[in-house]
Amino acid sequence: MLYKKDENDRGFAYQGLAILLTIFLVLVHQVSAAQIAIILFLLLVCEHILSNENYINTTYFSLFTAMFMGYWFYFANVFVEELLLSRSDIQFYEEFQIKETVQMGYEWIYILNHLDVSVFLLFALIGIGYLLWDRIKANKRNYTDYFSVFALFALLTIVLYIPTPIQTLWQTMTLFRFDRFMLLISPFMAFAMAAGIYILYSHLSDSGKKPGWMIVISVLMAIFVLSSIYYNGPESKPFLSDPVREYFTSDEIKGFNYFMDHVDPGSALYSDYHAHRFFIQQNFSESQELGLPFFRSYTISDVAEIPTYDGYVIIRQKQFLDGGIYTGSGSSNFLYGPEDGNDAALTSSLLKDAKIYSNSGVELYL
């Protein structure tokens, strides 16, 4: 919007701000620059379809694209080379790695955990639908209401914001960082939801149903706010469920199988309490003849001691972030969660160069 020349002929000032903003984005958010370019392109398309007012100039879009691509390939070539090599590894695409979403038998918990998304989707679809319907009903060549552009853009991108199969794949959400799309398009989603609330309230007020329906809208908004704070806050825990799972996910089992298939028998393995109980395979007289794996399995006594371990370390990263893992020695196990800087302490103890396997549930270090 900064590139738009206003009625007071201050176009040069706006263009200067746009150029400074572009330089800042390219230098500071070079990874997100390509995604920002995609969003700008979609806005240009929506403008071309529905509005005669062009707030995003094609010249600015070309400038932004040229600047971030020039920076990528002429100044940050080492970064781009590493980026392309890490994303083109064929091992990442041998099979789709599905992130854990809905567990069998816990579907109702999943629904409760996403009440805020349900309320958001209700109001957002009302706002998007009404604004697009109003635009079609107007049917004027000189239609200048820019709200319909936002509505069409929200309709095209809402699939990146709400839970969909796209958000279940590790390749899309982690490898290609589609999670950043959710952050970048959130202002447009907020606009769509606000438009839906305002339109619904105005329509019901004109129909003489203000008191009763106002209570309904207020209750829905309260559900949205409370569930958003509870489930998305840093201290949130899964509702009506133990923060530490009593089962292993498919990704965790894949990681465990990778360890048993590729690591020499007899190796030392350090893990959390529950994973330690999984690796109970011990050596006996015919282990090698039968080709059976066996390990020396230990529990991580202290995260700070991980760099001193001689062997392998398995971290159930998703479980650690979701609710924590049990560590400690002997019978004195304690919950080690991501709060109070523990996530940073764990990351510093796990050397990046020592990672030999990773999926959305498990990381294996040597």
Side-chain angles (χ1 to χ4, degrees):
M1 301 308 172
L2 292 175
Y3 205 89
K4 176 64 178 176
K5 184 176 181 180
D6 65 359
E7 297 178 354
N8 296 322
D9 196 23
R10 293 181 296 195
F12 179 78
Y14 280 84
Q15 294 171 11
L17 288 174
I19 293 174
L20 291 176
L21 177 63
T22 302
I23 295 174
F24 173 81
L25 289 175
V26 169
L27 296 179
V28 178
H29 298 283
Q30 61 268 30
V31 176
S32 302
Q35 296 176 330
I36 295 173
I38 294 174
I39 290 176
L40 290 176
F41 176 75
L42 287 176
L43 279 173
L44 277 171
V45 173
C46 294
E47 281 186 352
H48 179 74
I49 295 174
L50 294 179
S51 178
N52 293 327
E53 292 287 332
N54 297 320
Y55 285 89
I56 300 179
N57 195 295
T58 54
T59 303
Y60 174 72
F61 173 73
S62 302
L63 172 67
F64 181 87
T65 305
M67 288 186 67
F68 95 79
M69 291 188 67
Y71 176 77
W72 271 24
F73 292 101
Y74 289 100
F75 295 97
N77 54 317
V78 176
F79 156 75
V80 175
E81 182 179 357
E82 181 180 352
L83 184 70
L84 295 178
L85 288 176
S86 62
R87 269 63 180 177
S88 59
D89 190 343
I90 191 63
Q91 294 182 357
F92 290 144
Y93 309 99
E94 291 179 351
E95 61 180 5
F96 288 112
Q97 297 182 16
I98 300 177
K99 301 177 69 175
E100 296 301 324
T101 52
V102 183
Q103 295 292 334
M104 295 296 295
Y106 293 90
E107 294 85 355
W108 65 280
I109 294 180
Y110 180 84
I111 294 175
L112 287 176
N113 290 351
H114 292 80
L115 280 177
D116 56 334
V117 178
S118 301
V119 176
F120 156 78
L121 194 59
L122 171 65
F123 289 126
L125 290 179
I126 291 175
I128 292 172
Y130 179 84
L131 292 173
L132 293 179
W133 172 77
D134 185 61
R135 171 66 180 89
I136 295 173
K137 183 179 67 173
N139 195 24
K140 299 177 182 178
R141 293 180 58 86
N142 61 345
Y143 187 83
T144 59
D145 189 352
Y146 204 81
F147 293 154
S148 61
V149 176
F150 281 170
L152 179 59
F153 177 83
L155 180 63
L156 294 176
T157 57
I158 197 171
V159 68
L160 299 173
Y161 193 78
I162 61 176
T164 61
I166 294 176
Q167 296 186 14
T168 65
L169 297 179
W170 175 84
Q171 283 86 349
T172 56
M173 298 303 294
T174 303
L175 190 61
F176 288 99
R177 301 314 305 257
F178 272 40
D179 57 327
R180 297 192 179 187
F181 274 119
M182 300 177 65
L183 179 63
L184 293 172
I185 65 177
S186 57
F188 301 94
M189 299 299 114
F191 166 80
M193 181 178 180
I197 295 174
Y198 175 77
I199 291 167
L200 184 62
Y201 174 77
S202 300
H203 175 73
L204 295 175
S205 298
D206 295 339
S207 302
K209 302 177 181 180
K210 179 179 178 180
W213 282 103
M214 185 61 185
I215 296 176
V216 174
I217 296 175
S218 300
V219 170
L220 290 176
M221 283 299 302
I223 293 174
F224 171 79
V225 172
L226 294 176
S227 58
S228 297
I229 294 175
Y230 181 80
Y231 292 112
N232 297 322
E235 305 297 329
S236 64
K237 302 295 181 186
F239 184 60
L240 296 179
S241 63
D242 193 321
V244 180
R245 286 183 275 102
E246 298 293 336
Y247 60 89
F248 296 121
T249 65
S250 59
D251 284 329
E252 290 172 347
I253 296 297
K254 290 179 183 177
F256 295 165
N257 290 335
Y258 177 90
F259 172 80
M260 290 189 292
D261 292 340
H262 293 83
V263 178
D264 295 333
S267 300
L269 173 65
Y270 299 85
S271 59
D272 64 275
Y273 171 75
H274 289 91
H276 161 69
R277 297 188 63 185
F278 179 88
F279 293 99
I280 60 174
Q281 301 85 348
Q282 297 183 0
N283 186 23
F284 65 99
S285 59
E286 298 183 1
S287 293
Q288 295 184 354
E289 295 181 8
L290 297 176
L292 299 177
F294 58 92
F295 315 100
R296 292 179 290 118
S297 181
Y298 306 97
T299 304
I300 298 174
S301 58
D302 191 343
V303 170
E305 298 178 359
I306 289 180
T308 66
Y309 290 159
D310 183 14
Y312 294 87
V313 177
I314 279 185
I315 299 296
R316 294 192 295 152
Q317 188 71 14
K318 186 176 186 304
Q319 172 57 51
F320 168 73
L321 295 175
D322 287 348
I325 55 178
Y326 282 106
T327 60
S329 59
S331 59
S332 59
N333 296 316
F334 62 92
L335 183 63
Y336 188 82
E339 304 88 4
D340 300 328
N342 289 342
D343 52 346
L346 180 61
T347 301
S348 63
S349 296
L350 299 170
L351 300 178
K352 180 180 180 182
D353 296 337
K355 184 188 294 186
I356 59 177
Y357 177 84
S358 174
N359 63 25
S360 60
V362 169
E363 294 180 348
L364 177 62
Y365 294 83
L366 175 59

